[in-house]
């Protein structure tokens, strides 16, 4: 393009007196006409170049699409001679199980197995969709705003379980509309974890008609002030129950524990918060088959405890919330645990560790203790006594 300077290019219009400049109107109009012609020519070139660029973009997209098709064809035909392609469905299903996240409950996210496995190829999708055991664990978020759409998605997941036992976790509020989702699968639920929002109004039918339920975890974070509400609900649990975790619920006393007495007899694992030491011993009496107990004892008073022998408990974890009165000595004096293998006790650091009482418990029980974990002021000499008393004890940890 030619130089665009003119005899008038140096004029400073705001600072120049028009009368002092010889303006030739015809000459300036010719310059403007010439510039318009130049502008039209440049715009034409730009338009032509944009057309070429659009053509290149289209060609590029077509080539990329062709590349993807070629790669897909190569992958497919390589798969035909791959040993993985010839794997029996049963083996491929087992491999898929090892792809699942190592969580108790699975998220229905599209970028995680098992959903991810359905997006690889047609064969993998058919195998994944036809393997019921891949779809037996699920987290259901009951707080989903678009519940109707979410219910369809969760329902399709659960339908793939085809009668297998289910492990389900529910986040958020539980109501009748959520119960409708479970109704077709009510006989399959063997493990259930449920957490309530604050100030939740617990439905009466919550734990009814769960004939296959073996494990129940009830999470806290809700406004329940009376443990008897859950006592009534838990009393409806089936005899198939083996594990109960109500650790985050309000503390239970003897009356609460007795109110759902039928559920205790078959339990082998319990996590719970209770009020008094006599309630702790009462719990052990109610659970003759108990093998593992985790208990937070909110002691309100000292008591004279009747001796108790529990023949089956193997793992005992006691948390003492009170730091005013030392209450572990009374418990250790009352208990005889001939099958105990793991003992863990935690109390306030200012409370003196009941060494003599624990030594008497171990000597009286003659248990095959393997692990002793405690918090408190325990000397090396006292730890050595425990090891000398119980030959099977190979782990003593002071926290």
């Amino acid at each position: 393009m030619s130089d665009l300077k003119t005899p008038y290019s140096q004029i400073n219009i705001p600072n120049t007196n028009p009368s002092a400049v010889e303006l030739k109107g015809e000459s300036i109009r010719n310059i403007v006409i010439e510039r318009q012609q130049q502008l039209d020519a440049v715009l034409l070139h730009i338009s032509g170049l944009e057309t070429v660029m659009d053509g290149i973009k289209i060609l590029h997209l077509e080539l990329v699409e062709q590349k993807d098709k070629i790669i897909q064809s190569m992958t497919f035909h390589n798969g035909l001679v791959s040993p993985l392609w010839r794997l029996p469905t049963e083996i491929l299903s087992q491999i898929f199980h090892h792809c699942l996240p190592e969580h108790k409950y699975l998220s229905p996210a599209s970028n995680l197995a098992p959903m991810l496995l359905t997006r690889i190829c047609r064969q993998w999708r058919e195998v994944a969709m036809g393997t019921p055991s891949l779809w037996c664990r699920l987290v259901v978020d009951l707080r989903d705003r678009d519940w109707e759409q979410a219910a369809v998605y969760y329902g399709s997941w659960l339908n793939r379980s085809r009668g297998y036992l289910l492990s389900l976790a529910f986040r958020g509020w539980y109501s009748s509309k959520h119960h409708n989702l479970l109704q077709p699968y009510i006989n399959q639920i063997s493990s259930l974890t449920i957490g309530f929002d604050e100030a939740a109004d617990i439905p009466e039918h919550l734990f009814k008609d769960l004939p296959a339920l073996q494990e129940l975890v009830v999470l806290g974070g809700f406004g329940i002030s009376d443990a008897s509400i859950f006592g009534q609900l838990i009393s409806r649990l089936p005899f198939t129950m083996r594990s109960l975790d109500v650790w985050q619920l309000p503390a239970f006393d003897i009356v609460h524990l007795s109110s759902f007495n039928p559920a205790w007899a078959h339990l082998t694992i319990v996590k719970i918060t209770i009020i008094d030491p006599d309630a702790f011993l009462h719990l052990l009496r109610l659970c003759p088959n108990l093998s593992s107990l985790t208990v937070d004892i909110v002691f309100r008073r000292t008591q004279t405890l009747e001796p108790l022998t529990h023949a089956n408990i193997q793992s005992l974890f006691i948390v003492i919330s009170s730091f005013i009165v030392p209450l572990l000595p009374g418990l250790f004096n009352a208990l005889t645990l001939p099958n105990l293998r793991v003992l863990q006790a935690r109390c306030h650091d200012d409370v003196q560790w009941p060494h003599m009482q624990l030594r008497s418990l171990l000597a009286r029980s003659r248990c095959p203790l393997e692990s002793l974990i405690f918090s408190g002021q325990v000397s090396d000499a006292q730890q050595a006594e425990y090891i000398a008393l119980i030959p099977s004890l190979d782990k003593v940890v002071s926290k």
Side-chain angles (χ1 to χ4, degrees):
M1 182 177 292
S2 60
D3 190 359
L4 298 179
K5 290 184 178 180
T6 69
Y8 310 103
S9 297
Q10 301 302 319
I11 294 178
N12 190 346
I13 293 178
N15 301 321
T16 302
N17 186 352
S19 63
V21 181
E22 182 181 358
L23 299 177
K24 296 182 179 180
E26 187 67 26
S27 174
I28 293 175
R29 281 193 292 272
N30 291 336
I31 292 173
V32 173
I33 292 172
E34 182 182 359
R35 294 293 181 270
Q36 183 62 54
Q37 292 172 347
Q38 293 171 333
L39 177 60
D40 292 342
V42 170
L43 291 174
L44 182 63
H45 285 303
I46 292 175
S47 177
L49 182 58
E50 288 177 344
T51 301
V52 173
M53 292 173 64
D54 289 342
I56 293 175
K57 288 181 180 179
I58 294 173
L59 179 60
H60 177 263
L61 292 174
E62 291 175 350
L63 291 175
V64 169
E65 183 179 355
Q66 187 68 19
K67 178 203 71 172
D68 293 340
K69 290 181 179 180
I70 293 173
I71 293 176
Q72 184 178 4
S73 178
M74 289 175 59
T75 302
F76 172 77
H77 287 87
N78 281 330
L80 294 177
V81 295
S82 170
L84 185 61
W85 182 266
R86 297 191 295 273
L87 284 177
T89 299
E90 294 77 12
I91 295 180
L92 195 56
S93 296
Q94 291 298 318
I95 294 174
F96 285 176
H97 277 95
H98 290 284
C99 297
L100 297 176
E102 295 182 358
H103 302 297
K104 186 172 183 179
Y105 305 104
L106 300 180
S107 168
S110 60
N111 60 339
L112 296 175
M115 289 301 300
L116 178 62
L117 300 173
T118 66
R119 302 167 54 195
I120 305 302
C121 65
R122 183 173 61 184
Q123 184 203 15
W124 281 31
R125 176 177 176 82
E126 291 175 352
V127 173
M129 298 287 281
T131 306
S133 52
L134 294 176
W135 309 94
C136 292
R137 296 182 284 153
L138 178 63
V139 175
V140 180
D141 193 342
L142 303 179
R143 301 164 298 183
D144 199 307
R145 294 182 179 179
D146 190 357
W147 174 250
E148 298 302 326
Q149 180 177 353
V152 173
Y153 185 79
Y154 292 133
S156 64
W157 177 297
L158 295 174
N159 188 51
R160 296 169 196 154
S161 65
R162 298 181 186 176
Y164 277 57
L165 293 178
L166 297 172
S167 295
L168 304 179
F170 294 95
R171 296 174 179 168
W173 167 227
Y174 184 94
S175 68
S176 57
K177 67 178 182 180
H178 304 134
H179 188 75
N180 293 336
L181 168 68
L182 291 182
Q183 193 59 44
Y185 314 100
I186 209 74
N187 295 329
Q188 298 174 232
I189 300 175
S190 65
S191 176
L192 178 62
T193 296
I194 185 165
F196 294 93
D197 294 332
E198 292 188 7
D201 184 15
I202 310 304
E204 293 183 359
H205 60 269
L206 180 59
F207 300 140
K208 290 182 63 176
D209 303 323
L210 294 171
L213 190 64
Q214 299 179 24
E215 178 184 24
L216 174 64
V217 179
V218 183
L219 303 178
F222 45 86
I224 299 176
S225 58
D226 189 355
S228 62
I229 297 176
F230 261 88
Q232 296 172 8
L233 294 175
I234 293 173
S235 66
R236 301 169 182 170
L237 293 173
F239 292 131
T240 55
M241 277 287 298
R242 295 297 179 265
S243 177
L244 176 64
D245 182 349
V246 287
W247 177 268
Q248 297 187 32
L249 291 186
F252 293 83
D253 59 20
I254 287 183
V255 175
H256 298 141
L257 296 175
S258 300
S259 67
F260 47 105
N261 185 29
W264 292 119
H266 305 278
L267 292 177
T268 58
I269 301 173
V270 172
K271 296 182 69 175
I272 194 171
T273 300
I274 62 177
I275 293 177
D276 296 315
D278 58 342
F280 169 75
L281 297 183
H282 186 64
L283 174 66
L284 291 179
R285 294 187 184 96
L286 291 173
C287 303
N289 294 307
L290 198 62
S291 63
S292 176
L293 174 62
T294 300
V295 59
D296 183 358
I297 309 177
V298 188
F299 283 116
R300 293 180 179 174
R301 63 185 185 276
T302 58
Q303 296 170 281
T304 301
L305 303 177
E306 295 293 329
L308 173 68
T309 298
H310 196 289
N312 292 316
I313 194 163
Q314 300 180 28
S315 175
L316 177 60
F317 179 18
I318 304 175
V319 178
I320 304 296
S321 296
S322 173
F323 62 91
I324 299 175
V325 180
L327 295 161
L328 269 180
L331 278 179
F332 286 167
N333 280 333
L335 290 173
T336 300
L337 306 172
N339 204 27
L340 189 65
R341 285 169 167 77
V342 178
L343 174 60
Q344 184 171 356
R346 187 173 69 205
C347 57
H348 198 271
D349 292 339
D350 295 336
V351 176
Q352 183 177 3
W353 180 254
H355 168 66
M356 297 299 295
Q357 291 81 1
L358 176 58
R359 190 177 64 177
S360 298
L361 167 62
L362 298 179
R364 182 171 61 252
S365 300
R366 298 182 180 180
C367 55
L369 193 67
E370 301 171 358
S371 178
L372 175 60
I373 304 172
F374 49 82
S375 64
Q377 301 175 5
V378 183
S379 67
D380 293 341
Q382 291 173 336
Q383 295 185 38
E385 286 189 51
Y386 301 144
I387 296 175
L389 186 62
I390 305 293
S392 59
L393 186 59
D394 62 2
K395 181 180 180 182
V396 180
V397 179
S398 177
K399 293 186 177 180

